[in-house]
């Protein structure tokens, strides 16, 4: 049958029923099922049904982890007179993800009363501009949006991006990626001074992972510092120098057994050591036994099989692309806790690092000194 249009002064309720019936006839659906297609009388679409997750599974939002740190940062800035130190970010690539990160950073810094300046430079001029910022007393922190040169050959040996990381003064390295802080991280040296009054700066995204795990009570606060991941197994997929390797080392230094998976190898990280497994370890075998799964593959083509994930595992995606089908993961893996984007926690750690640098080295940066830190 066809529902004919009529010219009658009927109530909006009756009108809506006619519209629903019409859609139902066109789609062979019951009128109640057609409500979402017909919409409400006020023109708004029907609300989407709430997702149905496996028992105990939940999605963790970056805001809930970042919020207490940002509140702490605002309180610290108030104690400094209401205006915080200044971070300069250098953008020398056309990467949309880097620009998005810069936009998040600027927005967060304004909200938290910190100062941020984005300087867009040509890649060939970046080293010179870094040197200027190193000795500028108005600049308290420096970061670079990577990759700049990527894997292109470098005159200096290794990769040119590695060389740029080591060009940033340790007094101003808000990302904790220069040689001094990398060496301290891998040696599990947590302070820059013998008196242990000044903590080292740690890489922002790896630190964001640790703080997320602490928030989810994966770290055992009853154990001494440095042992709170004892008995836990983690896997980190991608062994980049910016995220993958540092986060594997940080978790291992806190007592975890950490599988490090890259495109052509699987290693095992324990405190201060990297082991090549005797058995034929694979990404699948590593994931299946892990309590924590951290994914950082910078490709939209890579997807981890959700069926590999242990029930009750914590899964954190740190890549700009989703490395797993989150809907399937949350619907099929009971007890899993999943964070799909960590960027806001990373920005909070960047702010925290800037304040730590200011606390540790303000007298030196005010004098325009940029020499390395030696103990």
């Amino acid at each position: 049958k066809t529902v004919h249009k009529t010219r009658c002064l009927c109530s909006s309720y009756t009108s809506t029923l006619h519209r629903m019936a019409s859609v139902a006839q066109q789609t062979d659906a019951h009128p109640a099922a057609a409500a979402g297609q017909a919409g409400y009388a006020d023109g708004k679409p029907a609300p989407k049904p709430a997702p149905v997750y496996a028992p105990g599974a939940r999605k963790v939002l970056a805001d809930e982890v970042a919020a207490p740190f940002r509140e702490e940062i605002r309180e610290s800035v108030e104690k400094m007179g209401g205006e915080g130190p200044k971070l300069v970010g250098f953008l020398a690539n056309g990467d949309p993800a880097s620009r998005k990160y810069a936009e998040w950073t600027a927005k967060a810094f304004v909200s938290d009363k910190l100062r941020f300046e984005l300087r867009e430079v040509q890649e060939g001029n970046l080293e010179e501009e870094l040197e200027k910022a190193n000795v500028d007393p108005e600049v308290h922190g420096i970061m670079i949006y990577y990759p700049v040169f990527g894997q292109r050959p470098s005159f200096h040996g290794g990769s040119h991006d590695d060389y740029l990381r080591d060009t940033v003064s340790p007094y101003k390295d808000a990302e904790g990626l220069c040689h001094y802080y990398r060496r301290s991280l891998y040696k599990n040296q947590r302070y820059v001074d013998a008196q242990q009054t000044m903590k080292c700066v740690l890489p922002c995204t790896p630190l964001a992972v640790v703080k997320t795990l602490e928030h989810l009570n994966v770290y055992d606060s009853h154990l001494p510092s440095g042992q709170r991941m004892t008995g836990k197994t983690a896997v980190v997929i991608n062994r980049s120098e910016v995220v993958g390797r540092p986060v594997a080392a940080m978790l291992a230094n806190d007592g975890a057994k950490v599988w490090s998976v890259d495109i052509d190898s699987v290693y095992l990280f324990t405190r201060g050591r990297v082991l090549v497994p005797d058995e034929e370890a694979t990404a699948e075998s590593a994931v299946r036994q892990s309590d924590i799964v951290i994914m950082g593959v910078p490709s939209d083509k890579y997807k981890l099989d959700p069926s590999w994930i242990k029930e009750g595992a914590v899964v954190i995606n740190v890549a700009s692309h989703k490395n797993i089908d989150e809907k399937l993961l949350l619907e099929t893996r009971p007890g899993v806790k999943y964070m799909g984007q960590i960027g806001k926690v990373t920005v909070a750690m960047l702010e925290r690092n800037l304040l730590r640098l200011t606390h540790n080295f303000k007298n030196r940066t005010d004098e325009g000194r940029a020499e390395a830190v030696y103990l």
Side-chain angles (χ1 to χ4, degrees), residues 2 15 27 31 33 37 47 58 102 115 152 161 167 218 220 231-232 234-235 263 286 295 308 343 357 363-364 375:
T2 304
S15 176
T27 60
Q37 298 176 55
R58 82 175 182 98
R115 291 177 289 159
R152 280 180 280 168
D161 282 2
T167 302
V218 177
D220 187 344
K232 300 291 195 304
V235 59
I263 193 167
M295 304 170 297
W308 297 357
L357 289 171
N363 292 338
R364 291 183 176 91
L375 298 180

Side-chain angles (χ1 to χ4, degrees), residues 72-73 76-77 79-80 83-86 114 139-141 170-174 181 190-193 195-201 350-366 373:
E72 178 186 293
I73 288 158
S76 297
V77 172
K79 292 176 182 177
M80 299 170 74
E83 184 180 64
K86 179 178 179 178
L114 294 164
V139 176
H140 304 99
Y171 295 144
K172 300 187 180 186
D173 182 7
Y181 291 122
R190 304 192 180 203
Y191 294 86
V192 300
D193 62 331
Q195 295 75 30
Q196 297 190 353
T197 62
M198 301 187 296
K199 286 187 175 181
C200 282
V201 169
L350 180 65
E351 294 182 324
R352 199 165 174 262
N353 280 354
L354 179 63
L355 292 178
R356 179 153 290 165
L357 289 171
T358 304
H359 169 264
N360 289 351
F361 306 123
K362 188 174 187 304
N363 292 338
R364 291 183 176 91
T365 54
D366 283 350
V373 180

Side-chain angles (χ1 to χ4, degrees), residues 33-220:
Q37 298 176 55
Y40 291 113
D42 61 3
K44 293 182 180 179
K48 292 182 180 179
V52 179
Y53 294 158
R58 82 175 182 98
K59 188 172 182 178
V60 182
L61 300 180
D63 283 317
E64 81 176 70
V65 181
F69 293 105
R70 294 191 62 187
E71 182 60 32
E72 178 186 293
I73 288 158
R74 293 186 192 107
E75 291 174 1
S76 297
V77 172
E78 282 300 315
K79 292 176 182 177
M80 299 170 74
E83 184 180 64
K86 179 178 179 178
L87 175 74
V88 170
F90 286 96
L91 183 62
N93 63 39
D95 180 25
S98 294
R99 186 168 293 279
K100 178 61 67 175
Y101 182 21
E103 291 171 359
W104 282 348
T105 304
K107 185 176 179 180
F109 271 53
V110 169
S111 176
D112 297 338
K113 297 184 179 179
L114 294 164
R115 291 177 289 159
F116 175 72
E117 179 185 340
L118 180 64
R119 297 182 182 176
E120 298 192 45
V121 300
Q122 296 296 316
E123 61 181 35
N125 299 329
L126 180 54
E127 183 180 349
E128 180 182 353
E129 294 302 317
L130 284 172
E131 295 288 4
K132 290 178 184 176
N134 276 339
V135 296
D136 183 348
E138 293 299 314
V139 176
H140 304 99
I142 295 170
M143 70 172 297
I144 303 169
Y145 293 97
Y146 296 104
V148 179
F149 292 90
Q151 296 305 310
R152 280 180 280 168
S154 170
F155 180 81
H156 306 277
S159 80
H160 202 74
D161 282 2
D162 286 340
Y163 173 76
L164 289 172
R165 281 188 271 275
D166 292 337
T167 302
V168 180
S169 165
Y171 295 144
K172 300 187 180 186
D173 182 7
E175 295 179 286
L177 292 173
C178 72
H179 178 265
Y180 176 79
Y181 291 122
R182 292 200 312 275
R183 176 177 175 272
S184 297
L185 186 157
Y186 294 125
K187 288 176 65 67
N188 202 15
Q189 183 174 302
R190 304 192 180 203
Y191 294 86
V192 300
D193 62 331
Q195 295 75 30
Q196 297 190 353
T197 62
M198 301 187 296
K199 286 187 175 181
C200 282
V201 169
L202 291 165
C204 300
T205 298
L207 183 57
V209 170
V210 169
K211 294 304 178 185
T212 299
L213 295 175
E214 288 179 346
H215 176 79
L216 296 173
N217 297 316
V218 177
Y219 271 67
D220 187 344

